[in-house]
Amino acid sequence: MINILGFDSDFDPSLLDRIVNEKKKIGYYNLPNQDTTYINHYLKQLNKRQNLNSISDVVVIGIGGSSLGAKAVYHFIRSIRQLKRNLHFMDSTDPITIANICNSLNISSTHFIVISKSGSTIETIAIYKHILAITKTIQLSHFPFTFITGKSSLLAQHARKVNGLIINIQQNIGGRFSLLSSAGIIPLALTGTKIDCLLKGAAKIKDSFFNQGYMQNLLLKKATFYANNASNYNINALFSYTDSLKYFNDWYAQLWGESLGKKQKNSVFHVGLTPIGLTGPKDQHSFLQLLYEGIRDKSVTFIKLKTFENHQKIPNITLEKLETFNLINQVKFSTLINMQADAIIESLKKHTRIPLDEITLQKQDEFSIGQLIYYYELLTSLVGNLLNINTYNQPGVEFGKNILIKKLQQQL
Amino acid sequence: MINILGFDSDFDPSLLDRIVNEKKKIGYYNLPNQDTTYINHYLKQLNKRQNLNSISDVVVIGIGGSSLGAKAVYHFIRSIRQLKRNLHFMDSTDPITIANICNSLNISSTHFIVISKSGSTIETIAIYKHILAITKTIQLSHFPFTFITGKSSLLAQHARKVNGLIINIQQNIGGRFSLLSSAGIIPLALTGTKIDCLLKGAAKIKDSFFNQGYMQNLLLKKATFYANNASNYNINALFSYTDSLKYFNDWYAQLWGESLGKKQKNSVFHVGLTPIGLTGPKDQHSFLQLLYEGIRDKSVTFIKLKTFENHQKIPNITLEKLETFNLINQVKFSTLINMQADAIIESLKKHTRIPLDEITLQKQDEFSIGQLIYYYELLTSLVGNLLNINTYNQPGVEFGKNILIKKLQQQL
């Protein structure tokens, strides 16, 4: 992974010390070096209960940080490689979505993973009840659920009562930073995603940052730029020039928005950086005009893929009356898409002063997306630290929940 | 469709006159009352060339305004109703996406619709060449293409040379306002979407606005609020509480971003309103925290569906240790999702002063989405007029194109 910054900012060297300090308390930092033996242990346990060979589909019942991470990696990898099992995500209470997913499944060859760190996510419990009722109706002989949750949550207590498989999420790892924890890794392992490569990619960025590698100064500079410019460039777009990062964009949006949209510590000031996920070249024909001519409140990070796993060329066809387009003949689509990204970068530099940077992933594999994940987690932590906020909580999410519970009680 | 505004703004009565005046020149305004006999004429013509009964799949080759509109309506309707034919969209030069779509199709039972108003969209021509080569390789006996383009474009000239079916896009209808023109209607008609209902929905909003109905004051007020607050609330989120509006959100993002991100007329000032598409309840667990505690630069429109076509209830199951969740038992999922929306609205009102409004669609059908489409088109025109910009051009999109062409020429 290569990152070229188009902007610069002097950073305070104590920022690194503060992050090194945070690393002792916040769990996600050390996930790249985790002991992964629990994965095989889990697979063996599962195999005893529901023959692994009989499982064709895996469904994650989880919302927000409990689904966005695995979804990002799964879609990135699956677009180039047939995986062992299909992975689905039930992350909505929309009855039509629920029905459509259920209708597409063969329940008897499906395993469900209920994920909720708190163990009390209303959406997740509601969907779990629905699936449980279905499995009872068809008189399934096995119990097709795994529970991934906080050690002492009510869901964990429930899982023990029903003798379900339980995987623990560490207390000091928040939902949106849990991709490389069991919450992301267990569902991905069931699809045959190469977990070791994913973690190695993350470890590479971690080592580079904490051991004075190339990433250290780069991330300190980049984070300082974002924090210093939080009020004039408060919208941060990710412009990915591969469709396979579409769900990565969604993961980024949660990570960035939910971590950095906060009241400052000991202050009444609100801060926040607004994430936008774009996909090229499609969004050249939708959002780009706003970048060029709208208010200059946006920074843009372009993500390119150096090597595509497909070398299809545009055929050597001359179209009558469209002969001017012969100049694309014999050009690989992979070359064209990267050229499109480069053309937009060049023209934004020429016509605007928008802060830009470029990330290039080597290829579409677990190692590359592992790098990208850890890079963004670190960047988020750094910016949060500079903004003097608690990066890891989400007090706002609770506000609506209490009102919902009141509404539900009223209708009883 | 009901719209409840949570904010107010006095409007200048001459705004209505200016829009009535614009309506004489800008083509989209009158599309709800169009003569649709051309649809049947087209279907007959197509049937002569490629037996309609033999067509199982339709592919739109088009990007931006040439695909986002039909995609929005198709996904809204298809999630509740089996349609006559599958509709696909080739709107990317990502070689993996192109290969995956092609591999999923039976080319001999597919019809392709090449859509480009200018007729010179590089992505579209590249994909057309690719598909053309495939149809030649498999020696298809018929020519499986329709062309929807501006009357005198190079693509139209090409289409005449190859004796292809051609449908015209009026000169005074821009891509992002073309959903209700042939560009959106022809692909949708092939899937069996009820075009008449779609247009009737749009006509209802049109009549209400232009004939002093409920929509007139409402839209004048709402647009004036957006324009007056373009600098303090420059991010406008659409929070849709049904997954079926996911692609409508994308259509909205293009319409809003590309129309309103402009230099002002006779001025050097940049203006722009930044669209954000959110889906509930999922994004309660991702973006909501930023709304609550981030910088107060956002307005939010909630979209709810009054009636879902599914009445599934959460089953009456008591989960050991999770007995507190008995309060969701026997609640319909459709009730729950709307209650979730209401809880978030109530809590945002309580904890913030974010400008909010609510749109409720009657049901998931063509009439409702037709209303929503025309409502947003009108709103965009009104805000653009107030911001003193050209709502209908997109000069920025050309900047990168010229650089791309230079890059392509250099590598020849």
Side-chain angles (χ1 to χ4, degrees):
Chain A
M1 164 175 171
I2 296 165
N3 185 193
I4 301 167
L5 293 187
F7 47 79
D8 220 321
S9 245
D10 288 337
F11 57 86
D12 172 358
S14 76
L15 173 58
L16 181 61
D17 303 332
R18 298 202 298 275
I19 292 297
V20 168
N21 219 21
E22 205 179 86
K23 183 164 165 273
K24 294 172 195 158
K25 292 170 290 181
I26 300 297
Y28 91 82
Y29 283 105
N30 293 312
L31 289 173
N33 309 105
Q34 70 189 274
D35 177 358
T36 55
T37 49
Y38 77 95
I39 302 172
N40 277 330
H41 180 73
Y42 164 74
L43 294 175
K44 274 181 204 159
Q45 293 291 107
L46 175 57
N47 191 42
K48 279 186 205 158
R49 292 159 179 244
Q50 185 178 359
N51 184 348
L52 276 175
N53 290 327
S54 74
I55 302 175
S56 60
D57 293 78
V58 175
V59 177
V60 168
I61 302 176
I63 194 163
S66 301
S67 63
L68 290 165
K71 207 189 254 187
V73 175
Y74 175 68
H75 284 280
F76 186 69
I77 299 298
R78 195 201 54 163
S79 67
I80 54 145
R81 198 198 308 150
Q82 186 78 36
L83 287 167
K84 224 183 278 179
R85 296 182 183 90
N86 302 313
L87 191 56
H88 312 263
F89 297 87
M90 296 187 80
D91 53 2
S92 173
T93 48
D94 183 327
I96 307 289
T97 306
I98 294 173
N100 288 344
I101 294 177
C102 289
N103 290 339
S104 75
L105 293 170
N106 177 353
I107 300 285
S108 61
S109 65
T110 300
H111 190 74
F112 296 89
I113 308 183
V114 182
I115 307 181
S116 167
K117 189 185 164 192
S118 71
S120 58
T121 310
I122 286 183
E123 296 90 337
T124 305
I125 304 289
I127 299 166
Y128 168 50
K129 287 191 182 202
H130 178 62
I131 302 292
L132 194 61
I134 294 174
T135 62
K136 284 183 177 170
T137 309
I138 62 169
Q139 298 185 304
L140 214 56
S141 59
H142 59 275
F143 184 71
F145 296 98
T146 293
F147 301 88
I148 303 184
T149 181
K151 207 169 188 170
S152 50
S153 77
L154 291 174
L155 184 63
Q157 293 174 38
H158 166 75
R160 280 191 282 274
K161 280 281 178 196
V162 295
N163 193 26
L165 274 171
I166 310 174
I167 308 265
N168 182 31
I169 305 180
Q170 281 170 251
Q171 200 43 48
N172 62 351
I173 297 176
R176 58 188 174 275
F177 286 89
S178 70
L179 202 171
L180 302 176
S181 79
S182 56
I185 278 182
I186 289 293
L188 289 169
L190 277 166
T191 69
T193 303
K194 295 172 189 159
I195 302 300
D196 286 357
C197 297
L198 185 71
L199 294 176
K200 269 184 198 152
K204 181 153 187 191
I205 301 295
K206 183 187 171 214
D207 293 345
S208 178
F209 179 78
F210 286 106
N211 298 322
Q212 297 181 303
Y214 152 70
M215 277 296 157
Q216 189 175 87
N217 270 4
L218 190 146
L219 279 166
L220 292 168
K221 271 187 203 172
K222 186 165 169 175
T224 304
F225 181 88
Y226 282 128
N228 286 349
N229 293 282
S231 49
N232 45 335
Y233 298 119
N234 68 312
I235 300 176
N236 311 103
L238 246 191
F239 211 147
S240 304
Y241 272 74
T242 154
D243 290 329
S244 60
L245 286 174
K246 182 172 149 72
Y247 292 98
F248 180 85
N249 283 356
D250 291 348
W251 174 82
Y252 155 76
Q254 188 212 17
L255 181 73
W256 201 248
E258 204 172 64
S259 298
L260 302 178
K262 296 282 161 67
K263 265 193 195 163
Q264 286 189 305
K265 286 178 187 167
N266 314 316
S267 142
V268 294
F269 285 113
H270 295 275
V271 292
L273 291 168
T274 298
I276 301 256
L278 303 171
T279 306
K282 200 167 15 188
D283 287 325
Q284 292 182 196
H285 299 264
S286 105
F287 203 89
L288 185 64
Q289 167 66 29
L290 181 65
L291 289 178
Y292 277 121
E293 296 208 318
I295 301 171
R296 297 295 158 75
D297 52 2
K298 297 169 189 74
S299 72
V300 188
T301 299
F302 286 87
I303 304 187
K304 297 190 293 180
L305 203 54
K306 190 172 176 198
T307 317
F308 280 84
E309 302 280 310
N310 179 303
H311 307 289
Q312 183 67 50
K313 286 179 178 174
I314 296 165
N316 196 9
I317 294 179
T318 298
L319 301 170
E320 272 190 281
K321 297 288 173 188
L322 289 165
E323 293 84 357
T324 46
F325 287 93
N326 281 353
L327 91 169
I328 53 174
N329 289 2
Q330 300 284 73
V331 175
K332 285 181 192 169
F333 276 105
S334 56
T335 306
L336 177 62
I337 194 170
N338 279 329
M339 234 182 223
Q340 291 184 287
D342 291 339
I344 295 304
I345 293 167
E346 196 177 318
S347 96
L348 279 170
K349 281 184 188 162
K350 195 174 152 190
H351 293 280
T352 76
R353 288 182 181 186
I354 293 174
L356 296 180
D357 72 322
E358 287 178 56
I359 292 174
T360 304
L361 301 182
Q362 195 60 34
K363 51 197 280 223
Q364 206 165 332
D365 62 6
E366 286 88 344
F367 186 81
S368 286
I369 197 161
Q371 291 183 296
L372 197 58
I373 289 161
Y374 201 82
Y375 171 96
Y376 268 99
E377 289 179 336
L378 266 180
L379 189 63
T380 306
S381 291
L382 286 160
V383 177
N385 195 295
L386 286 164
L387 291 176
N388 192 29
I389 57 173
N390 182 341
T391 311
Y392 306 101
N393 67 358
Q394 53 282 330
V397 177
E398 297 304 310
F399 298 157
K401 207 166 174 173
N402 301 331
I403 296 178
L404 176 64
I405 288 168
K406 257 182 221 152
K407 283 185 190 290
L408 284 162
Q409 283 165 341
Q410 276 160 12
Q411 76 146 30
L412 280 182
Chain B
M1 165 175 171
I2 296 165
N3 186 192
I4 301 166
L5 292 187
F7 46 80
D8 220 323
S9 244
D10 288 338
F11 58 86
D12 172 358
S14 76
L15 173 58
L16 181 62
D17 304 331
R18 297 203 299 276
I19 291 296
V20 168
N21 219 22
E22 205 179 86
K23 181 164 167 273
K24 294 171 196 157
K25 294 171 291 183
I26 302 296
Y28 91 83
Y29 284 104
N30 293 312
L31 288 173
N33 310 104
Q34 70 189 276
D35 178 357
T36 55
T37 49
Y38 76 96
I39 302 173
N40 277 330
H41 180 72
Y42 164 75
L43 293 175
K44 275 182 202 157
Q45 292 291 108
L46 175 57
N47 191 41
K48 279 186 204 159
R49 292 160 180 243
Q50 184 178 359
N51 184 349
L52 277 175
N53 290 328
S54 75
I55 301 176
S56 61
D57 292 80
V58 175
V59 177
V60 168
I61 302 176
I63 195 164
S66 301
S67 63
L68 290 165
K71 207 189 255 187
V73 175
Y74 175 67
H75 283 280
F76 187 70
I77 300 298
R78 195 202 53 163
S79 66
I80 53 145
R81 198 197 309 149
Q82 186 79 35
L83 288 166
K84 222 184 280 179
R85 296 183 183 88
N86 302 313
L87 192 56
H88 313 263
F89 298 87
M90 295 187 81
D91 54 1
S92 173
T93 50
D94 184 327
I96 307 287
T97 305
I98 294 173
N100 288 344
I101 294 176
C102 288
N103 291 339
S104 75
L105 292 170
N106 176 353
I107 300 284
S108 61
S109 65
T110 301
H111 190 73
F112 296 87
I113 308 182
V114 183
I115 308 181
S116 166
K117 189 185 166 192
S118 71
S120 57
T121 310
I122 286 183
E123 295 90 338
T124 305
I125 304 290
I127 299 167
Y128 168 50
K129 286 191 182 202
H130 179 62
I131 302 293
L132 194 61
I134 294 175
T135 62
K136 283 184 177 168
T137 310
I138 62 170
Q139 298 185 304
L140 213 58
S141 60
H142 59 274
F143 184 72
F145 296 97
T146 292
F147 301 88
I148 303 184
T149 181
K151 206 168 189 169
S152 50
S153 77
L154 290 174
L155 184 63
Q157 293 174 39
H158 166 74
R160 281 190 282 274
K161 280 282 176 193
V162 296
N163 194 26
L165 275 171
I166 310 174
I167 307 264
N168 182 31
I169 304 181
Q170 281 170 249
Q171 200 45 46
N172 62 352
I173 298 176
R176 59 188 173 274
F177 286 88
S178 69
L179 203 171
L180 301 177
S181 79
S182 57
I185 278 181
I186 289 293
L188 288 169
L190 278 166
T191 69
T193 304
K194 295 171 188 161
I195 302 301
D196 285 358
C197 297
L198 185 71
L199 294 176
K200 269 184 199 153
K204 180 152 186 193
I205 301 295
K206 183 187 172 214
D207 292 345
S208 178
F209 179 78
F210 286 106
N211 298 324
Q212 297 179 302
Y214 151 71
M215 278 294 157
Q216 188 175 89
N217 271 4
L218 190 146
L219 279 166
L220 291 168
K221 271 188 203 172
K222 185 166 170 175
T224 303
F225 181 87
Y226 282 128
N228 286 350
N229 293 282
S231 48
N232 45 336
Y233 299 118
N234 68 311
I235 300 177
N236 312 103
L238 245 191
F239 212 147
S240 304
Y241 273 73
T242 153
D243 290 329
S244 60
L245 286 174
K246 182 173 150 71
Y247 292 98
F248 179 84
N249 282 356
D250 291 350
W251 174 83
Y252 156 74
Q254 189 211 18
L255 181 73
W256 201 248
E258 204 171 64
S259 298
L260 303 178
K262 295 282 162 67
K263 267 193 195 163
Q264 287 189 305
K265 285 177 187 168
N266 315 316
S267 142
V268 294
F269 287 112
H270 296 276
V271 292
L273 290 167
T274 298
I276 301 257
L278 303 172
T279 307
K282 199 166 18 190
D283 287 325
Q284 292 182 194
H285 298 264
S286 104
F287 203 88
L288 184 63
Q289 167 64 31
L290 181 65
L291 290 177
Y292 277 120
E293 295 209 319
I295 302 170
R296 298 293 159 75
D297 52 2
K298 297 168 188 74
S299 71
V300 187
T301 299
F302 286 85
I303 304 187
K304 297 190 293 181
L305 203 54
K306 190 171 176 198
T307 317
F308 281 82
E309 301 281 310
N310 179 305
H311 306 289
Q312 182 68 50
K313 285 180 180 173
I314 297 166
N316 196 10
I317 294 180
T318 298
L319 301 170
E320 272 189 280
K321 297 290 173 185
L322 290 165
E323 292 83 357
T324 45
F325 288 93
N326 281 353
L327 91 169
I328 54 175
N329 289 2
Q330 300 283 72
V331 175
K332 285 183 192 169
F333 277 104
S334 57
T335 305
L336 178 61
I337 194 169
N338 280 329
M339 234 183 224
Q340 291 184 287
D342 292 338
I344 295 304
I345 293 166
E346 197 177 317
S347 96
L348 279 169
K349 280 184 189 161
K350 194 174 153 191
H351 294 279
T352 76
R353 288 183 181 185
I354 293 174
L356 296 180
D357 72 322
E358 288 178 57
I359 292 174
T360 304
L361 301 183
Q362 195 61 33
K363 51 196 278 220
Q364 206 165 332
D365 62 5
E366 286 88 343
F367 186 81
S368 285
I369 197 162
Q371 290 182 298
L372 197 59
I373 289 160
Y374 200 81
Y375 172 95
Y376 268 100
E377 289 179 336
L378 266 181
L379 188 63
T380 306
S381 291
L382 287 160
V383 178
N385 194 295
L386 287 165
L387 292 177
N388 193 28
I389 57 173
N390 182 340
T391 311
Y392 307 101
N393 67 358
Q394 54 283 331
V397 177
E398 297 304 310
F399 298 155
K401 206 167 175 173
N402 301 331
I403 296 178
L404 176 64
I405 287 168
K406 259 183 217 150
K407 282 185 191 290
L408 284 163
Q409 283 164 341
Q410 275 160 13
Q411 76 146 28
L412 280 182

